[in-house]
């Protein structure tokens, strides 16, 4: 088993990817560009988390965790837009939104732990 597969945050990002990809495979009435962008952002969160875990330097790890978290923000922005045009069911939205929020917080904690290991003090 690879190190990233042992992480709770990886498991959560994987689970939300399964939900999103299943939803998008059945989605009708959503522009194909938006579907493609959401897929890319969702997969980017998973892939960058895995890649960051495999990096040797703490700065590299932080960089990839930042990209993964940014991709989650992108997913939420897309989902918010789709909710506004009634293209996403409210129950699905709430479930996935909560999962994205949890993943974002976990990635931020990982980022901050890299700062601690590097001796960088966070002001915020």
């Amino acid at each position: 088993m690879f190190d990233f597969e042992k992480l709770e945050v990886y498991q959560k990002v994987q689970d939300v990817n399964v939900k999103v990809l299943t939803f998008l495979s059945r989605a009708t009435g959503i522009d194909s560009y938006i579907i493609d962008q959401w897929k890319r952002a969702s997969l980017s969160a998973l892939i960058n988390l895995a890649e960051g875990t495999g990096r040797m330097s703490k700065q590299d790890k932080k960089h990839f965790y930042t990209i993964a978290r940014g991709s989650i923000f992108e997913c939420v922005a897309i989902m918010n837009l789709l909710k506004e045009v009634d293209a996403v069911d409210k129950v699905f939205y709430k479930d996935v939104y909560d999962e994205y929020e949890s993943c974002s917080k976990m990635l931020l904690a990982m980022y901050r732990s890299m700062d601690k290991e590097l001796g960088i003090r966070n002001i915020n």
Side-chain angles (χ1 to χ4, degrees):
M1 180 176 274
F2 290 91
D3 288 345
F4 67 86
E5 293 175 294
K6 299 173 191 172
L7 297 173
E8 182 182 355
V9 66
Y10 177 81
Q11 305 283 332
K12 285 182 172 277
V13 174
Q14 173 84 347
D15 290 345
V16 77
N17 262 281
V18 169
K19 287 179 184 180
V20 166
L21 294 176
T22 300
F23 170 79
L24 291 175
S25 71
R26 298 177 184 148
T28 58
I30 299 175
D31 185 271
S32 62
Y33 175 79
I34 294 171
I35 289 172
D36 186 54
Q37 193 64 31
W38 194 358
K39 283 181 187 179
R40 288 172 186 266
S42 189
L43 291 171
S44 173
L46 186 71
I47 292 165
N48 281 290
L49 172 57
E51 186 170 353
T53 304
R55 292 298 173 136
M56 301 310 267
S57 82
K58 300 203 181 336
Q59 288 292 0
D60 278 350
K61 288 179 184 293
K62 278 179 54 177
H63 174 72
F64 282 94
Y65 297 159
T66 300
I67 294 170
R69 189 164 183 253
S71 294
I72 287 174
F73 281 34
E74 187 178 351
C75 291
V76 171
I78 292 167
M79 203 170 61
N80 284 339
L81 178 64
L82 292 175
K83 183 184 96 173
E84 290 299 315
V85 297
D86 293 323
V88 176
D89 175 83
K90 290 177 184 176
V91 174
F92 175 81
Y93 173 87
K94 172 85 170 106
D95 179 42
V96 173
Y97 184 94
D98 289 348
E99 287 189 47
Y100 280 143
E101 186 175 31
S102 175
C103 292
S104 173
K105 288 176 181 179
M106 294 171 89
L107 285 165
L108 180 59
M110 290 174 73
Y111 177 92
R112 287 183 173 159
S113 76
M114 294 293 104
D115 277 352
K116 284 181 184 176
E117 291 181 31
L118 289 166
I120 299 170
R121 188 170 158 236
N122 283 313
I123 295 171
N124 49 2

